[in-house]
Amino acid sequence: MKIALITTITPASENIRGTSALPYHLMAKRSKDIKVEIFSYNVNQLPQEKIHQVEQELGVRIRLMPLPHWLLWLVRLHLLMLRVFLPLPYLSYLRLPKRMVEEIKNGHPDGIWIYGEEIGGIMAQFAGYRRVLMGPDSEALYYYRMLGERFVVKDWRMYVRQTAMYPKYLRLERSFLSDEKSLYCVVGEADAEFVHRMNPQCKTIFLRHPHYEVARRDGDAVHFHQPIRLLIAGRYDLYMRQSADELIGALCRCGKGTSRESYEVTFLGKGWEELADSMRRAGWNVSHVTFAPNYVEEVMRHDVQLVPISIGTGTKGKVLDALSNGLLVIGTPYAMENVAVEDGVSCIEYRSPERVVEVLADMPLRLPFYEQMAERGRQSVLAVHQRERVSKQFFDLFLSKNYL
């Protein structure tokens, strides 16, 4: 089978200025009889040496396509603010030049894979071909949630932006094709349900997100360190700020029953300075790592990851990284959605920070119970989110018997 991938973002083993890792890992474990040629606008600006490295790692050919002159002029003249007047997101106006369409067709692909819902309009240029548009998430659902969650958006200018962007992406998703050879694929179950509700004619499917790098060796049992090592990873930004503030506030207020001496806390990422200082003042043993040369190796040094995500859609890659490497994940519903784990069995999902305080007070008293929970989470993610399994499920979408 031969697939032509048309994408705004050049794939890479990690997310580089965009969600570049998902298509990379879907291709990394594909069947040997599947050939993929990539046509990328390279909006994430991968340098040529990195592109060559990806080609070698994946066994693919990457063709870079120039952005149209009208879009380049908008950027150069700082006129992107004009997009507020456009009925659709500005990238959705991208279409391939006729010569590029003919070149792709002359390669006789068995299917067309389009990555990035904003360029879903390109599907119409390949009528008659089997086409899969991968979100990877529903942007309309993202803005819908942003507008519906209290206190997440505190800046009025940001609120105005969310209000303007939501109808654009809603129109976009309602315009998706609904013929017998087209399919929309996302890595969020709520995303798929939202798109189907907004556009019932669009064939939409939820696909599990593959886990990425696994450093823990098979057979290595999960045993927590003494003191237990807690990790909070990611950037202190809009996606985590509200829930992180609430969680750290609760941990700073809690009494000595939490057994603070039983824990070492690490913040990994930028922007955590104030929260790290507040925990130190409250008596916690805290360190702050702004950057780790090898992210997974740093994660592996810990036992438990706290994931206070306030908003978002799709599947959170850092949650999969932690679970697949044997960490017990304690996260909000947004952190845990779309991951094949169960609250109280293979993870802990919390709706109030006081729940986290209770768990941390109990953990040193029942360490084997929580170690077993972490192991169950690891085994579930390794099985259900296995790259080979998810890759096969994805590429099978190009076969007629698997279409909805």
Side-chain angles (χ1 to χ4, degrees):
M1 183 165 63
K2 184 177 181 180
I3 302 297
L5 167 58
I6 302 167
T7 175
T8 54
I9 294 174
T10 304
S13 58
E14 65 277 14
N15 284 334
I16 300 177
R17 291 178 287 275
T19 53
S20 54
L22 176 58
Y24 177 98
H25 289 280
L26 287 173
M27 289 183 282
K29 296 299 182 178
R30 72 189 189 277
S31 172
K32 293 181 179 179
D33 63 348
I34 300 175
K35 297 182 180 179
V36 181
E37 187 167 12
I38 301 173
F39 301 84
S40 174
Y41 284 109
N42 199 32
V43 171
N44 55 334
Q45 299 179 334
L46 259 63
Q48 192 59 51
E49 60 269 20
K50 180 66 174 178
I51 291 173
H52 180 67
Q53 177 185 339
V54 171
E55 288 180 317
Q56 296 297 312
E57 292 170 347
L58 295 180
V60 299
R61 181 189 179 202
I62 299 177
R63 294 281 309 279
L64 297 185
M65 302 183 296
L67 289 166
H69 292 298
W70 64 265
L71 181 56
L72 294 176
W73 277 112
L74 283 178
V75 175
R76 288 169 184 166
L77 297 176
H78 304 287
L79 296 177
L80 281 181
M81 65 185 71
L82 295 177
R83 62 184 175 177
V84 71
F85 299 106
L86 298 173
L88 296 173
Y90 72 97
L91 285 179
S92 67
Y93 294 96
L94 283 176
R95 295 294 183 273
L96 297 182
K98 185 176 180 180
R99 59 177 176 76
M100 182 59 70
V101 173
E102 292 304 314
E103 181 177 338
I104 294 173
K105 289 181 177 180
N106 289 338
H108 305 291
D110 298 294
I112 306 294
W113 172 13
I114 297 177
Y115 186 70
E117 70 169 15
E118 287 189 345
I119 58 171
I122 290 176
M123 293 179 76
Q125 296 184 277
F126 294 92
Y129 287 81
R130 302 196 184 285
R131 292 148 293 164
V132 175
L133 170 63
M134 174 168 271
D137 311 324
S138 163
E139 284 293 308
L141 176 61
Y142 166 75
Y143 287 111
Y144 176 83
R145 286 179 169 181
M146 289 288 290
L147 292 169
E149 289 287 339
R150 295 181 63 197
F151 308 126
V152 171
V153 179
K154 298 180 180 179
D155 188 318
W156 69 268
R157 289 164 297 188
M158 183 174 292
Y159 183 82
V160 170
R161 180 180 184 277
Q162 314 299 339
T163 304
M165 296 305 291
Y166 172 58
K168 295 179 189 295
Y169 280 97
L170 193 58
R171 292 187 199 102
L172 173 67
E173 293 177 5
R174 283 174 169 164
S175 72
F176 288 160
L177 292 175
S178 57
D179 62 52
E180 70 281 359
K181 289 189 174 182
S182 63
L183 184 69
Y184 183 53
C185 176
V186 288
V187 292
E189 191 167 13
D191 302 65
E193 293 172 354
F194 184 86
V195 173
H196 180 71
R197 191 164 69 249
M198 296 299 107
N199 185 353
Q201 302 305 312
C202 179
K203 302 187 197 75
T204 309
I205 187 170
F206 160 56
L207 188 74
R208 292 289 185 186
H209 196 299
H211 66 68
Y212 294 159
E213 185 180 350
V214 177
R216 183 181 291 273
R217 294 173 299 179
D218 289 340
D220 285 353
V222 173
H223 291 298
F224 292 172
H225 297 85
Q226 296 292 335
I228 302 167
R229 299 177 181 177
L230 298 182
L231 175 68
I232 301 175
R235 288 184 296 181
Y236 179 66
D237 57 13
L238 176 68
Y239 301 98
M240 297 183 76
R241 184 176 297 116
Q242 175 184 327
S243 294
D245 289 347
E246 293 171 350
L247 176 59
I248 302 306
L251 292 176
C252 290
R253 292 190 302 270
C254 67
K256 294 182 179 180
T258 310
S259 300
R260 298 177 190 181
E261 66 278 3
S262 299
Y263 294 96
E264 293 178 351
V265 182
T266 300
F267 288 90
L268 174 57
K270 298 180 179 179
W272 297 104
E273 290 79 7
E274 288 189 17
L275 292 186
D277 287 341
S278 67
M279 287 195 73
R280 288 192 193 98
R281 290 192 297 270
W284 293 84
N285 183 359
V286 177
S287 62
H288 182 200
V289 179
T290 56
F291 174 76
N294 188 310
Y295 176 78
V296 171
E297 284 187 4
E298 180 63 29
V299 169
M300 279 284 295
R301 294 181 55 251
H302 299 84
D303 307 306
V304 179
Q305 181 162 338
L306 306 180
V307 191
I309 292 180
S310 308
I311 198 70
T313 52
T315 308
K316 315 310 180 290
K318 284 183 171 53
V319 173
L320 292 178
D321 285 335
L323 286 164
S324 61
N325 283 287
L327 277 71
L328 172 61
V329 173
I330 304 175
T332 60
Y334 282 141
M336 307 311 302
E337 66 176 346
N338 308 310
V339 181
V341 286
E342 182 181 349
D343 179 30
V345 176
S346 45
C347 73
I348 294 174
E349 182 178 306
Y350 76 90
R351 297 179 181 276
S352 72
E354 288 72 27
R355 170 64 175 151
V356 181
V357 174
E358 293 172 358
V359 170
L360 295 184
D362 184 55
M363 193 174 298
L365 307 178
R366 295 197 296 158
L367 208 56
F369 171 80
Y370 291 98
E371 290 172 337
Q372 292 168 12
M373 187 182 293
E375 180 60 32
R376 286 192 292 268
R378 174 175 174 255
Q379 293 301 329
S380 181
V381 166
L382 290 179
V384 180
H385 295 266
Q386 181 192 49
R387 286 189 293 178
E388 291 87 346
R389 173 178 175 164
V390 178
S391 177
K392 184 180 187 307
Q393 291 172 339
F394 173 73
F395 285 104
D396 277 355
L397 297 177
F398 291 95
L399 304 175
S400 58
K401 64 180 180 180
N402 289 288
Y403 262 59
L404 299 177

